[in-house]
Amino acid sequence: MSASMPAGAGAASASKGRKKTACVTGGNGYIASALVKMLLDKGYAVKTTVRNPDDMDKNSHLIMELQSLGHLEVFRADLDEEGSFDDAVAGCDYAFLVAAPVNLTSENPETEQIEPTVRATLNVMRSCLKAGTVRRVVLTSAASTICIRPLEGDGHVLDEHSWSDLDYVTAERPPAWGYVISKVLSEKEAFRFAQEHGISLAIVCPVLTVGASPAREAYASVRASLSMLSGDEAALAMLKGIEKSFGAVPVVHLHDLCRAEVFLAETATAAPGRYICSSVSTTVVEIARFLADKYTQYHVDIKQSSDDELLEKPRVSLSSAKLVKEGFQFKYSTLDAIYGDVIQYGKTLGNLLH
């Protein structure tokens, strides 16, 4: 059974009945905690889940900061335990499925990444079905479900009809290949479940996500985006790996991603289905030039970031035209805007020294 901690002071039960209520899974994470904050700022009552509510190192930003913004309840739930999300989803108008198993270095992705991800997605979907109140489920997936496939030449534009080629992924085994397969299969299983049970499901496929979050631990995409400033070679290798696998470095600001998820939940006329969330398509070289010009104190060496394997211009673009056609507008559509708050965030987390 899920154990909850009480909401912040002043959140009267009467007001809870008047508020729209949303569940956000994995609320102590990078994307989820930003989404929780946005929903609270919009006046929602929010129910979120974490694996261990007593772990204050991971949850203090939820308890001490976000609960002060509004009605927030924190529930214990385990992705691998069927029914553990029932209490958190009960009575909710919307459910945002953000939490997912991540095991990028597993030697056995089938049993340690792929199967747990699919199982976790269906566990939470079953809880949404049991609730009987959820108007729309919004599943956070990944752009890697779209574009990991052999593409020759330049000028490719991929949309929601595109799927990563799992035969190619299995054969080539690019970095985090088990994660790619897990996301593709969990999307498809979520669709199947939603269609069988009449659930309205929107799936958001975000690209490299950059921006400040309430979370106190730097997400992989933040470390990658700051790698040429921080000197983190492993994170820079991840950024280069994205470019090699995607044919570009597509980027979105965290705030725009959260806005898109709330938009798709609240907009009843928005069609169910997949939505790419990407505002800028760039390359490692273009990011290096931008950072070298904008943040001169870090002395970014463009030559070191411009080896022969890197692209001058994107070969592939992930189109967000479907999302925009529904009426969504991105607020952060340049590298300058996207990097606006992540520099200070990196300093706060200790990823940048000055």
Side-chain angles (χ1 to χ4, degrees):
M1 178 179 294
S2 297
S4 69
M5 291 182 286
S13 59
S15 67
K16 180 180 178 182
R18 293 193 299 270
K19 291 176 179 285
K20 286 188 293 185
T21 304
C23 176
V24 179
T25 66
N28 55 11
Y30 172 68
I31 294 172
S33 61
L35 183 56
V36 167
K37 182 179 185 302
M38 181 173 291
L39 289 165
L40 290 171
D41 287 342
K42 287 173 66 68
Y44 277 79
V46 179
K47 302 167 78 175
T48 194
T49 66
V50 296
R51 183 178 296 176
N52 180 9
D54 297 325
D55 187 344
M56 293 306 292
D57 287 340
K58 292 185 177 181
N59 302 320
S60 61
H61 60 290
L62 288 173
I63 310 310
M64 301 180 68
E65 296 176 21
L66 297 185
Q67 277 194 337
S68 67
L69 301 178
H71 190 111
L72 173 63
E73 295 176 275
V74 182
F75 289 76
R76 177 180 290 108
D78 189 326
L79 288 168
D80 205 39
E81 181 183 336
E82 184 171 352
S84 70
F85 289 83
D86 288 358
D87 290 345
V89 177
C92 288
D93 299 285
Y94 307 114
F96 297 89
L97 280 53
V98 186
V102 178
N103 192 339
L104 302 182
T105 59
S106 170
E107 295 182 1
N108 190 351
E110 183 67 34
T111 58
E112 297 177 4
Q113 174 68 64
I114 298 170
E115 292 176 4
T117 300
V118 174
R119 185 165 57 244
T121 300
L122 292 178
N123 282 346
V124 187
M125 292 287 290
R126 292 188 189 100
S127 294
C128 293
L129 179 63
K130 290 178 188 177
T133 58
V134 178
R135 305 179 199 175
R136 175 160 285 181
V137 176
V138 180
L139 172 64
T140 303
S141 185
S144 57
T145 65
I146 304 276
C147 58
I148 311 301
R149 53 199 294 184
L151 292 170
E152 298 296 332
D154 302 332
H156 301 280
V157 178
L158 302 181
D159 62 16
E160 289 80 4
H161 293 98
S162 304
W163 287 92
S164 291
D165 184 334
L166 296 192
D167 290 337
Y168 170 79
V169 172
T170 303
E172 296 295 323
R173 298 196 173 193
W177 65 274
Y179 176 81
V180 175
I181 295 175
S182 74
K183 287 298 188 180
V184 170
L185 296 183
S186 63
E187 275 195 38
K188 293 187 174 182
E189 282 299 295
F191 264 128
R192 179 192 60 78
F193 187 90
Q195 290 176 338
E196 287 182 0
H197 298 283
I199 295 174
S200 179
L201 172 67
I203 297 181
V204 180
C205 298
V207 294
L208 183 74
T209 305
V210 179
S213 164
R216 301 282 180 81
E217 184 175 342
Y219 190 61
S221 66
V222 172
R223 296 197 303 273
S225 68
L226 296 175
S227 59
M228 283 179 274
L229 305 180
S230 67
D232 186 336
E233 291 296 329
L236 179 56
M238 182 173 67
L239 190 68
K240 292 178 179 179
I242 290 172
E243 179 180 282
K244 183 176 180 180
S245 297
F246 283 44
V249 182
V251 188
V252 69
H253 193 279
L254 175 61
H255 188 71
D256 272 342
L257 171 58
C258 293
R259 288 179 56 245
E261 297 215 352
V262 176
F263 172 84
L264 289 171
E266 293 181 337
T267 307
T269 56
R274 304 171 91 198
Y275 288 86
I276 294 171
C277 190
S278 175
S279 59
V280 174
S281 186
T282 184
T283 66
V284 174
V285 170
E286 288 180 346
I287 293 173
R289 288 174 178 155
F290 160 74
L291 294 174
D293 182 61
K294 178 76 174 182
Y295 301 101
T296 55
Q297 69 270 33
Y298 290 99
H299 307 293
V300 175
D301 189 337
I302 298 176
K303 291 181 180 179
Q304 288 184 0
S305 302
S306 305
D307 57 58
D308 293 338
E309 296 181 359
L310 297 177
L311 302 173
E312 279 292 329
K313 297 293 182 182
R315 293 178 51 243
V316 176
S317 174
L318 275 67
S319 173
S320 295
K322 180 181 176 183
L323 180 60
V324 172
K325 187 176 180 181
E326 292 287 359
F328 182 79
Q329 294 182 336
F330 288 96
K331 289 186 175 180
Y332 303 84
S333 56
T334 66
L335 285 177
D336 194 23
I338 287 172
Y339 270 83
D341 61 358
V342 76
I343 303 298
Q344 183 57 49
Y345 183 55
K347 292 178 182 179
T348 300
L349 297 181
N351 292 91
L352 293 178
L353 298 180
H354 55 81

